[in-house]
Amino acid sequence: MSSSALARSRKRRRGIEPVCQGVFAPLAHPLVLVLARLRMPPPPVALAAAVAVLDVFEEEGEARAAAHAKAELGEVALHDGRIADAVALLRQAFDALMAGEHDAELALVAAELGRYLVFSGANDEAFPRLELALEIAEALQLHDVLSHALNTKSVVLDRSGRHEEARLLVRHALEVALEHDAPGAAWRAYNNLAFLLDQADRTEEV
């Protein structure tokens, strides 16, 4: 980036900082994850600030920070019902993170991309993303990510007609979540298990 372009980018960063106060983490350094969890739906000013932050990261060549921003914006899009936009943003985040280490951030984005793809009906594309998330989560003992990825994989298996395998997998997801105090993952697993058992007319097992 030229010196004049960098100066313009820094000026824009200073301009959006006041807008981001109370919504995003500090913008002191572009590698800081600045997109805090947004209220759903986010205030228009917060969403506009998020897009502005993403633009700054991309202008400054901060690919990893831009991937973080895209992942957060993808979550906003999903909650807003814009599934195609959510999938597109998560794909971009995933591709950027794949260029680096197979770490916790990649595991989380891979699991979320898999979930978004399942929502959109792209089960075949979701499967390898979920397998990668599971591989990293098991290696790094990321129990919350592991439970969520198992949960989503159970949906893919159920849609493929592998109903018994799906029930076994979601039970495992529930066990992992309960054992490692991950209430959000446990709630999702329990709901999915109840659905699968109801589908099989085995509600007495819930």
Side-chain angles (χ1 to χ4, degrees):
M1 179 182 290
S2 67
S3 58
S4 60
L6 183 59
R8 287 196 302 273
S9 177
R10 287 173 176 165
K11 184 178 180 180
R12 289 184 63 201
R13 181 196 296 276
R14 290 194 297 271
I16 63 178
E17 281 178 1
V19 179
C20 296
Q21 293 301 321
V23 180
F24 302 104
L27 292 173
H29 190 279
L31 287 177
V32 175
L33 174 58
V34 300
L35 291 176
R37 297 292 175 187
L38 301 177
R39 296 192 300 277
M40 302 300 176
V45 67
L47 191 54
V51 174
V53 170
L54 174 57
D55 289 344
V56 169
F57 285 161
E58 291 185 327
E59 286 176 6
E60 295 187 359
E62 298 288 356
R64 195 170 186 86
H68 294 164
K70 287 175 181 178
E72 294 288 349
L73 285 171
E75 184 177 356
V76 173
L78 182 72
H79 282 270
D80 198 34
R82 295 179 288 112
I83 296 178
D85 291 342
V87 169
L89 286 162
L90 261 290
R91 279 199 185 108
Q92 293 172 34
F94 176 81
D95 290 343
L97 292 175
M98 276 293 288
E101 296 181 9
H102 283 201
D103 56 11
E105 292 170 354
L106 177 59
L108 176 59
V109 169
E112 287 297 280
L113 176 57
R115 185 167 69 97
Y116 291 15
L117 287 166
V118 168
F119 285 152
S120 70
N123 297 322
D124 290 342
E125 185 182 352
F127 202 85
R129 308 306 193 259
L130 294 169
E131 289 293 280
L132 176 63
L134 290 170
E135 177 185 330
I136 299 172
E138 288 176 347
L140 300 181
Q141 297 186 342
L142 308 171
H143 306 299
D144 189 77
V145 175
L146 178 61
S147 179
H148 277 299
L150 288 168
N151 222 324
T152 306
K153 184 178 176 180
S154 76
V155 177
V156 176
L157 293 178
D158 185 64
R159 290 181 179 178
S160 302
R162 297 160 63 180
H163 306 302
E164 187 59 36
E165 290 178 73
R167 288 190 289 270
L168 289 171
L169 211 59
V170 79
R171 286 184 190 277
H172 184 32
L174 180 58
E175 290 169 0
V176 170
L178 291 175
E179 182 179 349
H180 296 284
D181 193 25
W187 179 249
R188 183 179 172 221
Y190 185 80
N191 283 338
N192 282 359
L193 178 59
F195 172 79
L196 293 176
L197 292 174
D198 180 65
Q199 183 175 257
D201 196 23
R202 291 165 56 176
T203 53
E204 72 280 356
E205 299 179 31
V206 177

